[in-house]
Amino acid sequence: CSLEENLKPRVQWLKGLGMYDSQVAETIVKFPSLMSCSLEDNLKPKVQWLQDLGMDNSQVAETIVKFPSLMGCSLEDNLKPKVQWLQELGMDNSQVAETIVKFPSLMGCSLEDNLKPKVQWLQDLGMDNSQ
């Protein structure tokens, strides 16, 4: 991994989202693989997707700092299906974005083995989707 070709551009890109040096360092410590992710093929498309949900740069930065491994999740196989499921529960894009900012680790949970059974359990207790 070349410092000039790989590491510095990623650090500058993270700073461009509004991260402070300390947040960049914290993010790299939590998820060192971030430094080997492709900017063009991985990181930028995920950020654009988060922005398309309604997040601004500061919310994207906050989300990455809280749960940097989000950037290692597959957009097609992991993130989009979860958002689609949240929308099927009745959330609009702004509510989905707000949920991801508050609880970004939710995006790392298994949809079939974790999230759906828990929501079903809550529904069985009498909660509806608006709760």
Side-chain angles (χ1 to χ4, degrees), residues 12-124:
Q12 286 307 115
W13 180 77
L14 291 168
K15 287 177 160 185
L17 293 174
M19 285 189 195
Y20 300 108
D21 287 345
S22 61
Q23 291 174 310
V24 170
E26 177 184 348
T27 300
I28 294 169
V29 167
K30 287 181 181 176
F31 189 61
S33 298
L34 183 69
M35 292 294 100
S36 63
C37 291
S38 167
L39 270 173
E40 298 304 321
D41 298 331
N42 185 330
L43 302 177
K44 287 181 180 179
K46 282 189 184 112
V47 166
Q48 183 60 56
W49 179 75
L50 291 169
Q51 291 169 332
D52 289 347
L53 285 175
M55 288 188 200
D56 61 28
N57 276 358
S58 67
Q59 291 171 313
V60 170
E62 179 183 347
T63 300
I64 295 171
V65 170
K66 285 181 181 177
F67 189 63
S69 58
L70 173 79
M71 302 310 286
C73 293
S74 167
L75 194 53
E76 295 301 322
D77 297 333
N78 187 324
L79 303 178
K80 286 183 178 180
K82 287 188 181 101
V83 166
Q84 181 180 355
W85 177 70
L86 290 170
Q87 291 167 333
E88 288 169 4
L89 290 176
M91 290 185 178
D92 62 26
N93 279 358
S94 66
Q95 292 169 315
V96 170
E98 182 181 331
T99 299
I100 295 171
V101 171
K102 287 183 180 178
F103 309 105
S105 62
L106 178 78
M107 302 308 281
C109 295
S110 167
L111 190 55
E112 297 301 324
D113 297 333
N114 188 325
L115 300 176
K116 285 184 178 181
K118 286 181 181 166
V119 168
Q120 184 60 55
W121 179 76
L122 291 170
Q123 289 171 335
D124 291 346

